[in-house]
Amino acid sequence: MEQVKFPADFLWGASIATYQTDGADNTQWHAWEVENANQLAANYETAFAPVNPGYQAFLAEAKDQTNYVAGTGIEHRKHYATDFDLLAELNFNAFRFSVEWARIEPVEGQFDQAEIAYLKTYLHSLKAHGIKPVLSLWHWTMPTWFTDKGAFEHKANLKYWDRFVRFVLTELQADVDMILTLNEWNVYTFMSYIAGEWVPNQTNFVKGTWVAQNLVWAHQHAYKIAKEIKPAFQVSVAHNTSSQYAGDTKLNTKFALAWNTFQRDSFFLRQTYKYMDFLGVNWYNTDTFIAGQVQNPNTKINDLGWDMRPGQINLILEQLYAKYHLPILITENGLADADDSDRQWWLEQTFTSLHTAMEHGVEIVGYLHWSAFDNFEWDKGFWPKFGLIAVDRQHDNAREIRPSARWYATFIAAQQGK
């Protein structure tokens, strides 16, 4: 790749979510996955044969119902100290992780001090490795007592969210500065309440819109609570977005582009950007709209069949920065790539595009790859491999740094003048 130079204080690293690395039995997702594992396994060929010619490479794992049950995940909780050794070996200076509400407040109104003690030890270990923690408060999973009340379907339930946020940030304030309140509000709302593919499996646009609005308020509340506790907290969200193209000039294409921008970005960000110190961005793809529909070229696809054009991430970053004038942290960006044949190329293309955005005036403060480790990818289970570090679940979750991650480490070292 061409030589590009990033600021000396740029954040380099990767992200995880606690449920995806360690599971948690008392969440709404665990109950759902146990009930649906057989069906998810049976549907694999129907879902992926049309979109990925290489789908048979994953057939054995993807047809196994145990693939769809998180269990204890990759046991990062057990091995975090040696996992952090690997992250330090990769020259990371930042790492995003999430807390699990169901572990912190397993019973309504009862907080587990042992879990807080664990998190403090976790944070101390991370910082001892020279790595800055970026903490996510909500990455889709919730305690079953909260979802039994309707979760974010009801504005009145925000009092439980507020109590949880206040407790966590009060307890952990000494060890963390960067907070992400919500992860991908739009993906959760769409998949759970509009498409109906995730728990609670509803297809109600009105209810989905109301959940989205309650998540707007949830972020606003969390921001205010954070600033009350510690004004120096830097607060944002991990916002899922994409770059987009008009492949023709038809009216329905123009309408589709406008609607996509509104429902994916503007609805939430217009109401929340003033309650942010920076903007966290999760980016995986570009969408090309033709005749009002997404029709991507799919010249290169990842193992999930997703179109790959990483060199176009700058397009949406430039648009978002022009609208909201917030510094941007890439909080997720990556690909399912089990044989590691495209990950280095993806990183090279992405970094060149990020540099282009910065040359065009966008303030970007860091890049966190998804994911640090192979882990549990929700209704896809364990078969998609997003990790910079491979995890062999058949051999005691053994870790192995992939060649692309070695390249990433070398790139970081050059940026850091090592």
Side-chain angles (χ1 to χ4, degrees):
M1 64 178 292
E2 64 179 273
Q3 293 298 314
V4 294
K5 187 65 177 175
F6 289 82
D9 60 351
F10 201 80
L11 299 177
W12 298 104
S15 297
I16 64 166
T18 295
Y19 190 86
Q20 293 178 259
T21 58
D22 293 279
D25 289 349
N26 56 334
T27 64
Q28 94 285 13
W29 191 275
H30 173 76
W32 180 85
E33 72 188 20
V34 170
E35 292 177 1
N36 289 274
N38 286 345
Q39 190 62 43
L40 293 169
N43 289 345
Y44 171 72
E45 289 181 90
T46 301
F48 288 97
V51 298
N52 181 12
Y55 79 97
Q56 290 183 329
F58 309 101
L59 199 59
E61 188 174 10
K63 295 287 284 183
D64 180 355
Q65 68 185 54
T66 64
N67 169 76
Y68 299 94
V69 178
T72 57
I74 63 167
E75 298 186 321
H76 172 66
R77 186 180 182 88
K78 178 180 178 182
H79 300 293
Y80 70 83
T82 52
D83 282 345
F84 293 165
D85 290 341
L86 296 176
L87 302 188
E89 187 177 339
L90 294 176
N91 297 315
F92 287 4
N93 62 7
F95 180 64
R96 175 192 170 202
F97 72 100
S98 66
V99 295
E100 182 57 66
W101 187 353
R103 291 182 184 270
I104 292 171
E105 191 180 2
V107 177
E108 181 185 343
Q110 297 182 21
F111 295 102
D112 188 342
Q113 289 295 338
E115 182 65 14
I116 292 298
Y118 158 76
L119 288 168
K120 289 181 178 179
T121 303
Y122 183 97
L123 284 163
H124 293 165
S125 178
L126 188 62
K127 293 166 74 175
H129 284 80
I131 300 172
K132 183 181 184 66
V134 180
L135 184 150
S136 298
L137 290 168
W138 180 79
H139 202 115
W140 300 343
T141 51
M142 295 163 281
T144 52
W145 64 259
F146 181 65
T147 54
D148 286 345
K149 296 176 183 291
F152 291 109
E153 295 173 18
H154 309 298
K155 187 178 183 181
N157 287 344
L158 291 179
K159 64 178 177 287
Y160 304 110
W161 163 255
D162 293 353
R163 182 178 64 192
F164 161 69
V165 170
R166 186 174 297 278
F167 177 78
V168 172
L169 295 186
T170 298
E171 292 288 340
L172 302 182
Q173 61 180 302
D175 296 308
V176 65
D177 297 317
M178 297 189 79
I179 305 297
L180 301 173
T181 60
L182 306 173
N183 179 75
E184 297 186 339
W185 67 275
N186 43 11
V187 174
Y188 169 78
T189 301
F190 178 79
M191 295 296 287
S192 297
Y193 288 96
I194 298 175
E197 296 180 21
W198 292 356
V199 60
N201 301 102
Q202 298 191 29
T203 53
N204 186 325
F205 181 82
V206 173
K207 182 178 284 189
T209 302
W210 184 242
V211 169
Q213 184 59 53
N214 283 330
L215 289 172
V216 167
W217 289 324
H219 170 73
Q220 293 176 350
H221 287 201
Y223 177 88
K224 293 175 182 177
I225 291 168
K227 294 298 185 176
E228 288 173 13
I229 294 168
K230 178 178 163 181
F233 272 136
Q234 296 292 293
V235 184
S236 187
V237 295
H239 174 72
N240 179 283
T241 190
S242 67
S243 301
Q244 57 183 26
Y245 269 124
D248 59 40
T249 58
K250 293 180 179 179
L251 185 61
N252 57 353
T253 294
K254 293 178 180 178
F255 176 81
L257 284 169
W259 169 246
N260 187 63
T261 297
F262 172 76
Q263 58 88 21
R264 193 161 190 169
D265 295 327
S266 303
F267 169 84
F268 185 86
L269 293 178
R270 285 177 182 173
Q271 299 185 77
T272 57
Y273 80 97
K274 292 182 180 179
Y275 300 85
M276 295 184 192
D277 301 297
F278 64 97
L279 177 58
V281 171
N282 292 2
W283 189 96
Y284 291 93
N285 67 294
T286 295
D287 285 325
T288 299
F289 286 82
I290 299 174
Q293 302 292 323
V294 175
Q295 298 184 40
N296 290 331
N298 295 326
T299 304
K300 286 179 72 71
I301 59 172
N302 69 18
D303 293 342
L304 287 165
W306 299 354
D307 179 85
M308 296 195 298
R309 286 174 279 173
Q312 297 177 357
I313 187 174
N314 66 292
L315 302 178
I316 187 62
L317 299 184
E318 292 172 24
Q319 292 171 23
L320 291 174
Y321 190 76
K323 286 182 180 179
Y324 303 110
H325 307 290
L326 288 167
I328 291 173
L329 172 65
I330 306 303
T331 41
E332 288 184 25
N333 172 269
L335 67 162
D337 183 21
D339 64 7
D340 204 40
S341 58
D342 288 319
R343 193 171 283 104
Q344 180 178 327
W345 163 80
W346 176 282
L347 290 165
E348 291 174 346
Q349 292 282 307
T350 298
F351 297 159
T352 298
S353 189
L354 292 180
H355 195 263
T356 296
M358 295 171 76
E359 288 181 324
H360 292 169
V362 180
E363 183 181 356
I364 303 176
V365 299
Y367 173 84
L368 304 177
H369 192 78
W370 185 271
S371 174
F373 310 94
D374 291 341
N375 57 24
F376 182 79
E377 290 294 335
W378 305 106
D379 59 335
K380 310 302 186 294
F382 288 100
W383 72 261
K385 311 301 182 188
F386 277 86
L388 291 163
I389 298 169
V391 178
D392 187 346
R393 296 178 60 243
Q394 304 305 313
H395 296 89
D396 198 28
N397 291 310
R399 274 65 159 156
E400 182 179 1
I401 296 175
R402 288 193 163 103
S404 60
R406 297 286 186 191
W407 179 90
Y408 184 26
T410 300
F411 180 87
I412 296 171
Q415 296 295 321
Q416 296 172 338
K418 294 181 180 179

